[in-house]
Amino acid sequence: MYMTGGRFGHRGKRRDRQMDVRQLESLANRCRREAVRMVYRAKAGHIGGSLSAADILTALYFGVMRIRPEEPGWPDRDFFVLSKGHSVESYYAVLAMRGYFSAARLAEYSRFGSDFTGHPNRKVPGVDMGTGALGHGLPVSVGLALAARRDGRPCRVFALMGDGEMEEGSNWEAAMAGAKYGLDNLTVIVDRNGLQISGRTEAVMPLENMAEKWKAFGWQVAETDGHRMAELVRVLGRAGAGRPR
């Protein structure tokens, strides 16, 4: 797993034109702008969590994941689960930027009857899992990774979690299962921004030393700044070696 500070690759065939770090950083800033516009228009949303995740999402969708936006259901794609589903504004923005649907549809966010709801909705092209109830994303990601391996598919599974979400016991059950089955096609990113809806994480329920906890559960662990694009692409592009990351 990767812990990214909120003080805040493709495998196989690469995209025809790889983006450099400056291009990725520019896209991440565009993602932030779109997220702010969505929240402003809707007068609703979770702007803090979305801004915290913008660089991570951009690195994944433009620099790491093996996907086909023109074929969202491609069976051999890499899967992404936004376990911290309240950060959906940046997620929708990145999907639009990557070509899953027209950017004009972002104006539908949080409108009555719209598919672009306040948490990820599988009616939106590119969304692999509807999330919002915290503590469910990692268990489902373990299942996706296990199914891909049993089917002999080259899929990697990426799950982006909030640090406050780590208070959910279901995550630690899933962490045990991921290590037991040696799911080296599974990568978890914990957005360690130190905040949750009810306050600072260390005041609500202390989480440290989080890295040592994950290591004790049998995971490979790397810690990086969640806003350093080059580092994000580098570490997220590496698959596990016999263990989940």
Side-chain angles (χ1 to χ4, degrees):
M1 57 79 63
Y2 297 96
M3 290 203 310
T4 62
R7 289 169 301 209
F8 269 1
H10 296 276
R11 293 172 302 141
K13 184 177 180 180
R14 294 271 180 170
R15 293 177 62 199
D16 292 337
R17 184 173 65 89
Q18 285 296 295
M19 294 188 172
D20 63 24
V21 171
R22 287 189 178 181
Q23 288 174 304
L24 292 171
E25 290 172 342
S26 178
L27 284 168
N29 287 333
R30 179 181 164 194
C31 172
R32 291 185 180 91
R33 288 194 297 270
E34 293 292 350
V36 171
R37 289 189 184 109
M38 291 164 67
V39 171
Y40 178 78
R41 282 192 300 258
K43 302 295 187 290
H46 293 80
I47 192 62
S50 280
L51 296 181
S52 181
D55 290 298
I56 301 166
L57 290 165
T58 302
L60 285 171
Y61 274 89
F62 286 91
V64 175
M65 288 174 61
R66 186 170 173 266
I67 51 178
R68 291 179 180 173
E70 72 281 2
E71 187 183 352
W74 179 38
D76 289 342
R77 71 190 183 280
D78 288 343
F79 288 81
F80 174 75
V81 174
L82 182 65
S83 190
K84 57 170 208 161
H86 54 282
S87 299
V88 73
E89 296 87 4
S90 286
Y91 186 25
Y92 288 156
V94 164
L95 290 175
M97 290 159 49
R98 192 64 175 83
Y100 283 91
F101 49 83
S102 168
R105 296 202 64 192
L106 296 177
E108 301 173 23
Y109 171 69
S110 207
R111 287 184 182 173
F112 180 76
S114 171
D115 292 338
F116 290 80
T117 53
H119 289 88
N121 183 349
R122 290 195 63 212
K123 293 180 181 179
V124 174
V127 174
D128 289 319
M129 178 187 172
T131 56
L134 299 179
H136 293 176
L138 181 54
V140 171
S141 297
V142 167
L144 287 169
L146 186 58
R149 191 174 70 181
R150 288 185 173 180
D151 290 346
R153 297 191 181 278
C155 315
R156 289 181 67 187
V157 180
F158 296 87
L160 175 55
M161 308 179 68
D163 47 3
E165 181 182 5
M166 297 313 302
E167 297 166 11
E168 302 281 354
S170 53
N171 290 319
W172 298 107
E173 295 176 38
M176 286 190 287
K180 169 183 168 55
Y181 294 109
L183 298 179
D184 54 9
N185 59 341
L186 173 62
T187 296
V188 168
I189 308 112
V190 178
D191 186 4
R192 186 71 170 113
N193 56 32
L195 296 170
Q196 60 189 91
I197 196 167
S198 48
R200 295 193 173 275
T201 56
E202 297 311 288
V204 177
M205 183 60 68
L207 298 170
E208 295 297 354
N209 187 324
M210 190 186 292
E212 294 303 319
K213 288 183 172 74
W214 281 92
K215 289 176 184 177
F217 274 72
W219 287 56
Q220 300 176 67
V221 177
E223 296 182 73
T224 187
D225 187 325
H227 298 301
R228 291 179 182 258
M229 187 61 70
E231 185 69 4
L232 284 171
V233 172
R234 184 183 69 82
V235 296
L236 293 173
R238 296 191 310 228
R243 290 187 291 162
R245 308 187 69 130

